[in-house]
Amino acid sequence: MTENTGVRHGGAPASRGRTTIADVVVEKIAGMAARDVRGVYALGSGFARSMGSVRERMPGAGSGKSATRGVSVEVGELQAAIDLEIVVDYGVSITEVAGAVRENVISAVERMAGREVVEVDIMVSDVKLPDEEDEGEERQRIR
């Protein structure tokens, strides 16, 4: 029979074991945080968004937008580097939107994933003009 002497072995429970965070987790956090910024119309290039739109219409392909479209990350045990490709709304200050995206992404990833974000590189690939159709809209010529 083992006697419980009240001595704890191994330290605090939070330090007993290892937590691994997959790259896709950080990609999703960064993608959602970037989309939350006013002035960001979409993530990803026009081609990637078009392919995603087609993929979303296929039966069994899942529902909704891909949270990782336009996002790539490198995640280590302590740090992360993030690349984003965004489309901004016409009329917004691109530098202000990029700064707000960086701030929001860094805050979200550091808070949720516990990784220091060493850089967030942003590539603005397009501007959404007011008279452009959305990617999901299709013109019907004959009804």
Side-chain angles (χ1 to χ4, degrees):
M1 181 176 242
T2 307
E3 184 179 326
N4 185 355
T5 60
V7 177
R8 299 185 126 212
H9 298 283
S15 66
R16 295 185 204 173
R18 181 177 165 166
T19 302
T20 304
I21 299 174
D23 289 5
V24 70
V25 173
V26 176
E27 286 175 350
K28 287 182 178 183
I29 293 168
M32 293 303 294
R35 283 182 181 86
D36 283 345
V37 174
R38 187 172 182 198
V40 173
Y41 174 74
L43 269 66
S45 66
F47 178 74
R49 288 182 320 203
S50 295
M51 292 307 294
S53 179
V54 169
R55 199 172 26 253
E56 287 167 7
R57 290 188 205 125
M58 295 174 66
S63 61
K65 295 180 180 178
S66 171
T68 61
R69 187 179 312 137
V71 182
S72 67
V73 301
E74 292 179 38
V75 181
E77 286 201 28
L78 302 174
Q79 297 178 324
I82 302 166
D83 293 325
L84 299 169
E85 185 173 354
I86 67 172
V87 177
V88 298
D89 290 319
Y90 176 80
V92 300
S93 167
I94 294 173
T95 55
E96 287 178 15
V97 170
V101 166
R102 255 186 212 96
E103 188 175 318
N104 212 35
V105 167
I106 289 169
S107 174
V109 171
E110 288 183 349
R111 180 177 49 83
M112 295 174 72
R115 299 299 186 265
E116 175 192 8
V117 178
V118 293
E119 68 181 7
V120 177
D121 291 332
I122 298 172
M123 204 277 260
V124 179
S125 62
D126 203 356
V127 174
K128 168 67 169 83
L129 300 176
D131 59 345
E132 287 180 333
E133 286 185 19
D134 286 337
E135 297 296 323
E137 292 180 13
E138 293 183 20
R139 294 183 195 171
Q140 291 185 337
R141 295 170 55 184
I142 302 173
R143 290 188 186 233

